[in-house]
Amino acid sequence: MPETIIQINPHYSNFAPVIEYITANGLPASAEIIYDKRNKVARLTVDGINMIIKAFRCPGFINSIAYTTVRGSKALRSYENSLKLLEAGFNVPQPIAYSEVRKGLRLRESYYFSTEISGDDLRYWERRADADELSEALAHELVKLTDAGICHLDLSPGNMMFTRNAATGEYSFSYIDLNRMEFDVKDRRRLLKSIFERLNEMDPILDLAGRFARISGDNSGYIERYARKVRGRYERNRELKRKLKSIWKK
């Protein structure tokens, strides 16, 4: 018989029947699918609150065992990392619950449930009319993140959201897609790599690196050279993967 594991944030105990239903039966027909590739992301309104459901794809054989024996599942890590980020003073969608369905030692299905947040992501932020102000605020946020010893290992433009207060002009940032995180990181180079590797293309990254160095007190030449190095390596690796994929398809 499959084993079901469900952990619900006490603040959202009223969501329990819906979470239990989805864990047992999958996404209901009333859920709005907003992303459907490797994993599925859906929106469902519960008691007037928009809940976001991330349904992780069934892992391969090795990972299906690793996620129950060696390391937590992506759903579990998303839930726990969200709580850690909130405790550290950073903004994330409120974690509602996570759930898993296991068969023996193998993970079969897993879900992460959170509230929905509003705002824009950072895709093409350098093209915005307020790009200068946004870049400055972002640099301050990233200094705060690295000072806290936190690595978001998938810090792409789509995984960081922001809003701007119309009255004060202040920006507020939030983090999503949180299953790949590291905390209490002491390695400065690893922290810098996590923020400069994926967040944007080379020119905006170098501009951000200069701002980051000024705010953090780091040597600007060193920070900009390191940002160029890690971003350049990432771009080369991405291009190599693209070429290999195109060859494989022929």
Side-chain angles (χ1 to χ4, degrees):
M1 288 289 293
E3 175 190 7
T4 299
I5 297 173
I6 298 176
Q7 183 171 345
I8 301 175
N9 186 329
H11 296 295
Y12 296 94
S13 57
N14 58 308
F15 283 60
V18 175
I19 291 166
E20 290 168 0
Y21 174 87
I22 291 172
T23 304
N25 302 286
L27 295 172
S30 56
E32 176 190 0
I33 304 297
I34 55 180
Y35 182 85
D36 188 3
K37 289 188 179 179
R38 280 192 310 171
N39 308 305
K40 284 187 178 181
V41 180
R43 179 189 294 112
L44 184 67
T45 302
V46 180
D47 293 342
I49 296 175
N50 284 341
M51 178 171 69
I52 298 298
I53 309 154
K54 188 164 187 178
F56 293 94
R57 68 174 179 176
C58 183
F61 180 77
I62 293 175
N63 278 338
S64 71
I65 295 175
Y67 288 158
T68 66
T69 57
V70 179
R71 62 186 307 203
S73 69
K74 292 181 179 181
L76 168 60
R77 283 180 274 142
S78 296
Y79 181 79
E80 291 184 338
N81 290 343
S82 294
L83 292 173
K84 289 178 181 178
L85 280 167
L86 287 171
E87 184 178 0
F90 295 92
N91 297 324
V92 299
Q94 291 293 315
I96 294 174
Y98 85 93
S99 65
E100 300 175 356
V101 178
R102 300 179 177 187
K103 191 171 184 181
L105 291 178
R106 297 190 63 186
L107 178 69
R108 306 307 298 171
E109 286 92 36
S110 59
Y111 300 89
Y112 174 58
F113 307 83
S114 72
T115 59
E116 184 176 37
I117 59 170
S118 60
D120 297 321
D121 62 41
L122 287 174
R123 291 182 178 94
Y124 309 112
W125 90 67
E126 73 279 8
R127 302 180 186 179
R128 294 175 55 95
D130 63 340
D132 187 68
E133 297 96 329
L134 176 56
S135 296
E136 185 71 9
L138 177 59
H140 279 274
E141 175 71 10
L142 295 176
V143 169
K144 179 183 172 185
L145 191 71
T146 55
D147 284 349
I150 297 173
C151 278
H152 188 319
L153 298 176
D154 192 13
L155 194 60
S156 65
N159 287 340
M160 199 169 178
M161 311 288 291
F162 72 93
T163 58
R164 190 178 194 184
N165 186 300
T168 66
E170 293 182 352
Y171 293 87
S172 178
F173 297 92
S174 300
Y175 302 86
I176 62 174
D177 203 356
L178 303 174
N179 68 85
R180 297 180 62 225
M181 303 282 302
E182 292 181 358
F183 296 85
D184 299 319
V185 177
K186 308 300 182 186
D187 186 338
R188 181 72 170 166
R189 291 167 67 87
R190 185 161 181 77
L191 290 164
L192 295 173
K193 180 176 182 290
S194 71
I195 63 173
F196 293 129
E197 184 177 55
R198 299 168 180 258
L199 200 52
N200 207 328
E201 303 304 321
M202 186 66 80
D203 287 345
I205 281 292
L206 293 178
D207 174 73
L208 186 65
R211 297 172 189 267
F212 181 97
R214 174 174 47 79
I215 296 163
S216 66
D218 286 297
N219 179 277
S220 60
Y222 169 76
I223 295 295
E224 290 173 19
R225 286 194 300 273
Y226 190 68
R228 184 186 295 276
K229 176 181 177 180
V230 297
R231 178 63 204 182
R233 182 188 299 145
Y234 176 76
E235 290 179 351
R236 290 191 296 274
N237 288 341
R238 186 173 59 176
E239 179 64 16
L240 177 60
K241 288 178 182 179
R242 187 192 66 78
K243 288 180 179 179
L244 291 175
K245 188 174 182 180
S246 65
I247 294 172
W248 179 258
K249 287 182 177 180
K250 290 181 179 179

